[in-house]
Amino acid sequence: MIGALLRIPFQETVRQVHAALVNAGSTALRPAHPTVFQHLDPAGTRQVDLAERAQITRQSMGYLVEYLVRQGYAELAPDPRDRRASLVRLTARGEAVDTTARQALADLESRWAAILGAGPFAAFRAALERISSPPPT
């Protein structure tokens, strides 16, 4: 049942972020779109790397990125390391969405900390970070 216990807070996180984005006027975004934002490096990221990080197919990531580009949230730029590839980068509009999403996440963490207490929440967060980190090689 650990999967369900992890899935339920994850689904609430997705719901809260999506609601905050809609409230901020980003009504064209769907709950799947923040996945792209979550895995982007500040200087941009190749779509193949985004797909791998998000654990979805290249085709699915391509669809998400194409939509974000059409809507003006992201842009494609040449990859300076490989001119055959492109980097996905946020536009100013995309950066505003990212800021809104991060604030929604901070608000959610504050609510959960209020429910659990600051110490238990900090321990909970640290435990999640620990099990989410790749094992040392």
Side-chain angles (χ1 to χ4, degrees):
M1 297 301 293
I2 190 76
L5 290 173
L6 291 169
R7 185 181 67 247
I8 293 166
F10 170 74
Q11 289 172 328
E12 179 61 12
T13 301
V14 170
R15 192 184 75 69
Q16 290 290 326
V17 168
H18 185 255
L21 295 176
V22 168
N23 288 338
S26 297
T27 57
L29 295 176
R30 299 292 170 249
H33 292 119
T35 301
V36 178
F37 292 75
Q38 176 185 5
H39 296 290
L40 270 176
D41 297 321
T45 308
R46 292 171 48 169
Q47 288 186 50
V48 65
D49 296 326
L50 289 171
E52 184 178 307
R53 292 173 187 176
Q55 297 181 336
I56 63 175
T57 66
R58 291 179 184 181
Q59 293 82 2
S60 294
M61 183 56 71
Y63 174 80
L64 292 172
V65 167
E66 179 183 311
Y67 183 84
L68 292 173
V69 168
R70 277 197 326 268
Q71 295 296 317
Y73 294 104
E75 64 185 5
L76 297 176
D79 183 343
R81 294 173 294 147
D82 181 354
R83 290 291 176 185
R84 297 169 295 165
S86 296
L87 296 176
V88 180
R89 296 189 310 207
L90 294 181
T91 61
R93 186 176 189 199
E95 289 175 4
V97 163
D98 190 54
T99 298
T100 300
R102 289 178 186 279
Q103 183 59 56
L105 292 169
D107 293 346
L108 184 60
E109 285 193 26
S110 292
R111 284 199 306 276
W112 287 348
I115 291 168
L116 296 175
F121 181 75
F124 169 68
R125 193 174 202 296
L128 288 174
E129 288 173 358
R130 187 170 176 198
I131 63 174
S132 297
S133 299
T137 55

